Amino acid sequence: MKFIHMADVHLGMMPEDKKGFGSIRKKEIEETFDRVLFEARKEQVDVILIAGDLYHRPPLMEELKELNARFERLAPIKVVFIAGNHDCIFENSPYERFPFADNVIFLKEKEMQSVYVEEYDTTFWGFSYHTKEIGELLYDEVRPQGEGYHILLAHGGDETHIPINYEKLKWAGFDYVALGHIHKPQVIVQDFMNYPGSLEPLDHTEKGAHGYFLGEITEEGQQVKFVKFAKRSYEQLNVQIEENETIYSISGRIQEEIESRGRENFYEIYLMGYTPLAGKIRLDSLEQDYFITEIIDKTKRNYDIDKLYEENRENILGKFIERMRQLDDPVAKEAMELGIEALLETKLEQGR
């Protein structure tokens, strides 16, 4: 049996909305989901596993109609999914009463349930969230029963969303455990228990590759590989500013680096180094041309310490420099730089 395992799609979410990218990202999340469904047909998989949080919030009836149309078109591919903490099944939820197509298995109960599919001699196990938070260790005592293969869909992994003892689950008796909720891809047990992460990265903390797992279960065992599939990634770009650089040259270097890494990605830019431009570096043109989420200026002014000391020998700034120089260690050097900045700022304010 060949399968695709994904989770945490978060349809309807608008990442980076404050930066003006929300509508773009909402559309791209949906497009990437559709591309995975296309890949499922292309790869001729038998089953698609979705381990929770398909939606960013509980879906409406019209949204489920659109979803069902997508799934029905996949037949004979089976789609097995659960609701997670974001798209949980609240009272009178459309999830409760929607009639999904025959090729869809929605494990929607509060308690563990199982559905046997004779065609693949496989039983699918799982349950859905009916509340935003669940603190109990609900997977600890789960044990599959019956012949054939057994696959568990499980959403959780932190204190308020079903803590999971992975070691216990490893020996529970399943042939594959399809995990969801953690947004960064993680291999818990090779070829056996994995988090695919969010299909598209949803904020700047979700750096690195995003996609899904493509796997196969046979009599010889399981083989599972991660498929990088997201349209964009979040990248951290560290830029060391040279002493005599101009804003033009800095912008040019950053532009070249972004183009080489991929202009479609989101960039968090850290500016570092010693420069007379400290506190004055603006990169407005880059922010207009690229997906830049934040520019963090960590640059420091490259003071002539000897000259500063001579000019301020008799005041508090000069005495501070003299004292810090006597300490002669890296921490003291850092403290001296920060202290000089503060004292000069105070001096500037007093002179206004």
Side-chain angles (χ1 to χ4, degrees):
M1 181 185 64
K2 196 173 183 181
F3 65 87
I4 278 177
H5 165 207
M6 60 175 153
D8 300 286
V9 181
H10 286 269
L11 292 171
M13 188 178 179
M14 299 180 70
E16 302 299 340
D17 194 31
K18 291 181 179 179
K19 298 291 288 187
F21 307 140
S23 296
I24 295 172
R25 291 300 287 147
K26 179 182 177 182
K27 182 180 178 183
E28 289 175 349
I29 289 170
E30 187 172 323
E31 289 173 347
T32 299
F33 178 61
D34 284 336
R35 287 192 296 119
V36 175
L37 301 186
F38 178 82
E39 284 295 307
R41 292 193 293 270
K42 181 180 173 183
E43 292 284 346
Q44 298 182 316
V45 305
D46 302 300
V47 178
I48 296 173
L49 308 170
I50 307 175
D53 284 355
L54 176 55
Y55 288 92
H56 187 56
R57 41 110 183 107
L60 303 174
M61 185 63 75
E62 288 301 313
E63 292 171 320
L64 292 182
K65 288 178 182 178
E66 293 293 331
L67 178 69
N68 191 55
R70 286 177 164 98
F71 288 166
E72 191 170 25
R73 188 181 176 197
L74 291 170
I77 296 172
K78 300 284 187 186
V79 179
V80 185
F81 77 106
I82 58 175
N85 58 294
H86 273 271
D87 57 352
C88 66
I89 305 174
F90 57 85
E91 189 175 357
N92 297 320
S93 167
Y95 260 155
E96 286 276 23
R97 59 186 187 275
F98 188 85
F100 283 102
D102 291 341
N103 65 318
V104 179
I105 300 172
F106 181 26
L107 301 171
K108 65 182 181 181
E109 302 301 326
K110 291 181 183 180
E111 308 294 333
M112 183 65 67
Q113 67 179 116
S114 63
V115 175
Y116 176 70
V117 178
E118 185 176 4
E119 185 179 356
Y120 306 122
D121 191 24
T122 299
T123 302
F124 298 95
W125 299 77
F127 59 84
S128 289
Y129 279 64
H130 287 245
T131 181
K132 289 289 186 182
E133 295 185 355
I134 303 175
E136 295 81 17
L137 286 77
L138 298 181
Y139 298 116
D140 271 18
E141 306 305 323
V142 177
R143 298 292 182 272
Q145 299 173 358
E147 299 298 320
Y149 302 112
H150 296 271
I151 293 179
L152 172 67
L153 281 71
H155 191 88
D158 64 37
E159 289 184 2
T160 55
H161 303 96
I162 313 182
I164 298 176
N165 185 322
Y166 301 111
E167 191 64 22
K168 279 189 177 182
L169 202 50
K170 175 182 176 181
W171 300 108
F174 292 98
D175 295 282
Y176 185 73
V177 178
L179 297 170
H181 182 62
I182 305 301
H183 284 193
K184 292 184 180 180
Q186 293 182 35
V187 175
I188 304 300
V189 181
Q190 184 69 41
D191 293 325
F192 172 69
M193 188 189 310
N194 304 303
Y195 284 102
S198 51
L199 193 56
E200 283 278 343
L202 303 177
D203 65 40
H204 70 96
T205 66
E206 299 180 15
K207 295 180 176 66
H210 284 257
Y212 62 86
F213 280 101
L214 178 64
E216 188 169 12
I217 298 175
T218 66
E219 292 181 358
E220 283 73 41
Q222 311 96 317
Q223 285 190 326
V224 181
K225 68 175 181 179
F226 181 75
V227 179
K228 183 179 178 181
F229 208 69
K231 182 176 180 63
R232 305 182 194 276
S233 64
Y234 280 86
E235 304 281 337
Q236 180 174 314
L237 184 55
N238 297 326
V239 182
Q240 187 69 34
I241 308 300
E242 301 301 326
E243 184 175 352
N244 296 315
E245 273 195 286
T246 63
I247 291 177
Y248 178 79
S249 66
I250 294 167
S251 297
R253 283 204 294 127
I254 293 173
Q255 183 176 11
E256 289 176 5
E257 185 66 23
I258 289 176
E259 290 290 345
S260 67
R261 291 194 188 193
R263 65 178 298 133
E264 73 280 2
N265 298 324
F266 287 99
Y267 289 91
E268 190 176 66
I269 299 175
Y270 282 79
L271 305 177
M272 299 172 292
Y274 293 86
T275 170
L277 299 173
K280 300 178 182 178
I281 301 175
R282 295 182 59 86
L283 303 171
D284 296 345
S285 62
L286 290 178
E287 292 191 84
Q288 293 171 9
D289 294 339
Y290 299 101
F291 292 96
I292 296 174
T293 59
E294 191 173 9
I295 298 174
I296 299 109
D297 191 347
K298 296 285 187 179
T299 56
K300 298 175 183 177
R301 195 173 299 277
N302 53 346
Y303 297 108
D304 185 332
I305 303 296
D306 291 333
K307 184 178 179 181
L308 266 181
Y309 175 67
E310 289 301 325
E311 292 175 349
N312 297 274
R313 184 189 289 267
E314 301 303 322
N315 61 36
I316 189 171
L317 177 56
K319 295 183 184 306
F320 172 75
I321 293 172
E322 183 178 5
R323 179 72 182 105
M324 297 306 290
R325 275 177 162 179
Q326 292 171 358
L327 298 177
D328 192 28
D329 68 60
V331 175
K333 184 176 184 297
E334 180 77 13
M336 180 167 67
E337 291 165 356
L338 294 172
I340 289 172
E341 288 279 357
L343 288 168
L344 285 175
E345 185 65 28
T346 300
K347 188 175 181 182
L348 180 63
E349 290 292 334
Q350 291 174 346
R352 286 176 181 171

